[in-house]
């Protein structure tokens, strides 16, 4: 806890750290020289002292911060990205410090743009490989060994396309792009997504059961992003269930939320691995799970759902299966 905010601001100034002090009502009481220099580039005509945080476009996001996390990162003023830390003042109020990360974010955006360009450029040659592999079997007879090779080419192309889709999703997530929110008939979306995967379930000898509550309310968001979520979860459930098992897809309303559940009675996941399954590139150890994919699917699921203001829950027990629940808010 800060004893003397004036002294703290002066010390932070010597360290070239931008800082402001607010009272308990969010009104700015003091701004050190480093903060004035930093913010003047983005807010040249506004005198900050005396303003409430909520009244300053670049600082209104600070109102929602609390002391539960060591720091926060994100955009403040347009073009300014900061790491923000906050400490309580003993006599009342909060002191905020700001670390300018704009250059870092600019380089990160460049990496994101380059990766997106590379992914798009790879699509053309991969599509060509797929097309010629299909044509090769149509222009004349091929022997059984050649058919095996062509099947392997098709499988490799499919895996490459899945990986490219995952990378495109990750570049979109990392770009910080906002959602183009539109009303979504969530019941229809879940139903149609599940039905599109029925043939895949049959090919794995898995029974797919779909139960959608009638008259589910509208959800706001991007339909193709949420479709990606449900596709990932249902595909995983089919893939890890095993022959003769079942996958259950349900959608229902509870209070101001819609819950979409994907449950299987397959291998399940040990409790020691559950905290990591939404991490990028994480694969649950074990021969049973050495299947196609790079370990990005669940990370994409979590990020997309959180962008829609929801969250993902998981329950699993080895030998009994797993249940993934997507909880989305209803915006009346």
């Amino acid at each position: 806890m800060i004893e003397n905010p004036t002294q703290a601001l002066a010390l932070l100034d010597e360290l070239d750290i931008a800082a402001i002090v607010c009272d308990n009502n969010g009104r700015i009481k003091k701004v050190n020289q480093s903060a004035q220099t930093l913010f003047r580039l983005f807010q040249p005509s506004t005198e900050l002292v005396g303003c409430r945080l909520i009244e300053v476009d670049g600082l209104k996001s600070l109102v929602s911060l609390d002391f539960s996390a060591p720091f926060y990162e994100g955009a403040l003023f347009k073009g300014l990205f900061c790491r923000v830390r906050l400490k309580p003042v003993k006599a009342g109020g909060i002191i905020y410090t700001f670390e300018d990360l704009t250059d870092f974010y600019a380089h990160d955006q460049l990496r994101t743009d380059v990766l997106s360009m590379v992914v798009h450029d790879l699509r053309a040659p991969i599509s060509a490989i797929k097309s010629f592999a299909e044509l090769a079997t149509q222009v004349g007879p091929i022997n059984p060994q050649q058919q095996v090779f062509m099947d392997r080419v098709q499988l490799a192309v499919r895996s490459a396309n899945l990986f490219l889709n995952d990378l495109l999703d990750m570049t979109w997530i990392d770009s910080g792009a906002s959602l183009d929110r539109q009303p979504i008939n969530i019941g229809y979306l879940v139903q149609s997504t599940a039905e599109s995967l029925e043939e895949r379930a049959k090919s794995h000898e898995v029974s797919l059961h779909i139960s959608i509550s009638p008259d589910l309310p509208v959800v706001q968001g991007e339909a193709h992003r949420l479709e990606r979520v449900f596709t990932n979860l249902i595909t995983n459930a089919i893939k890890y269930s095993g022959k003769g098992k079942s996958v259950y897809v349900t959608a229902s309303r509870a209070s101001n939320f819609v819950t979409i559940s994907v449950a299987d009675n397959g291998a399940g996941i040990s409790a020691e691995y559950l905290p990591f399954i939404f991490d990028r590139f994480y694969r649950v150890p074990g021969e049973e799970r050495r299947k196609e994919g790079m370990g990005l699917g669940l990370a994409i699921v979590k990020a997309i759902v959180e962008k829609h203001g929801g969250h993902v829950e998981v329950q699993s027990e080895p030998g009994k299966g797993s249940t993934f629940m997507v909880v989305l808010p209803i915006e009346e």
Side-chain angles (χ1 to χ4, degrees):
M1 185 170 290
I2 305 297
E3 296 268 351
N4 188 329
T6 302
Q7 187 177 27
L9 286 187
L11 177 59
L12 291 167
D13 240 342
E14 291 185 15
L15 298 172
D16 198 25
I17 296 174
I20 64 174
V21 177
C22 295
D23 63 19
N24 289 329
N25 296 316
R27 191 172 298 278
I28 300 171
K29 307 300 291 183
K30 298 178 185 294
V31 180
N32 73 354
Q33 186 59 49
S34 297
Q36 291 177 15
T37 301
L38 178 62
F39 295 150
R40 191 174 293 126
L41 297 171
F42 304 92
Q43 193 87 358
S45 61
T46 301
E47 175 60 45
L48 295 178
V49 174
C51 293
R52 297 178 63 208
L53 292 175
I54 197 68
E55 298 169 346
V56 183
D57 285 341
L59 300 179
K60 63 174 58 176
S61 60
L62 302 182
V63 174
S64 62
L65 305 187
D66 57 42
F67 301 104
S68 61
F71 60 83
Y72 300 84
E73 287 185 4
L76 295 181
F77 300 95
K78 184 177 181 180
L80 174 64
F81 294 84
C82 285
R83 175 175 294 159
V84 183
R85 292 182 171 87
L86 57 162
K87 292 288 185 183
V89 176
K90 187 173 183 179
I94 300 172
I95 185 168
Y96 297 86
T97 62
F98 305 87
E99 181 183 352
D100 187 0
L101 300 179
T102 303
D103 288 343
F104 172 81
Y105 271 85
H107 294 150
D108 194 56
Q109 182 61 48
L110 176 62
R111 287 193 295 271
T112 297
D113 292 343
V114 170
L115 180 58
S116 181
M117 180 181 66
V118 169
V119 170
H120 279 291
D121 287 348
L122 282 173
R123 282 200 176 280
I126 289 176
S127 296
I129 293 170
K130 181 177 185 296
S131 297
F132 283 117
E134 292 172 348
L135 287 172
T137 63
Q138 298 173 15
V139 296
I142 60 175
N143 63 45
Q145 187 62 60
Q146 289 172 327
Q147 184 63 58
V148 170
F149 293 154
M150 298 309 295
D151 290 342
R152 289 179 180 175
V153 169
Q154 293 284 9
L155 181 60
V157 167
R158 179 174 177 273
S159 295
N161 272 324
L162 289 174
F163 184 50
L164 290 181
N165 288 337
D166 285 347
L167 289 180
L168 279 176
D169 283 334
M170 296 311 304
T171 56
W172 172 77
I173 291 164
D174 290 342
S175 73
S178 58
L179 292 171
D180 179 18
R181 293 182 176 272
Q182 301 290 335
I184 301 170
N185 183 333
I186 194 68
Y188 173 80
L189 182 63
V190 176
Q191 180 86 31
S192 59
T193 304
E195 288 177 352
S196 72
L197 296 169
E198 286 181 334
E199 287 302 317
R200 178 174 295 188
K202 289 179 182 178
S203 69
H204 285 74
E205 298 182 32
V206 171
S207 299
L208 184 59
H209 306 273
I210 308 168
S211 177
I212 310 298
S213 295
D215 302 323
L216 285 177
V218 166
V219 169
Q220 297 290 329
E222 289 189 20
H224 72 284
R225 303 290 182 190
L226 291 176
E227 181 183 9
R228 184 89 159 103
V229 167
F230 307 140
T231 298
N232 280 2
L233 292 178
I234 298 170
T235 300
N236 278 353
I238 293 170
K239 186 164 57 175
Y240 296 123
S241 286
K243 294 181 179 180
K245 301 292 186 177
S246 296
V247 171
Y248 302 89
V249 179
T250 62
S252 59
R253 175 174 182 167
S255 185
N256 292 322
F257 297 90
V258 172
T259 300
I260 299 91
S261 172
V262 179
D264 65 69
N265 52 12
I269 306 169
S270 297
E272 61 186 302
Y273 303 132
L274 285 177
F276 311 107
I277 62 173
F278 293 104
D279 293 348
R280 297 184 184 188
F281 301 106
Y282 182 77
R283 303 296 302 274
V284 174
E287 290 295 327
E288 181 60 26
R289 294 184 173 268
R290 297 186 187 276
K291 301 181 183 287
E292 67 178 12
M294 297 294 294
L296 288 172
L298 289 179
I300 291 168
V301 165
K302 182 174 184 290
I304 291 176
V305 172
E306 288 179 350
K307 272 184 171 285
H308 283 78
H311 65 277
V312 185
E313 302 173 8
V314 58
Q315 299 172 354
S316 190
E317 188 175 343
K320 294 188 176 181
S322 304
T323 300
F324 286 83
M325 290 163 286
V326 173
V327 182
L328 297 171
I330 299 167
E331 298 181 20
E332 301 293 349

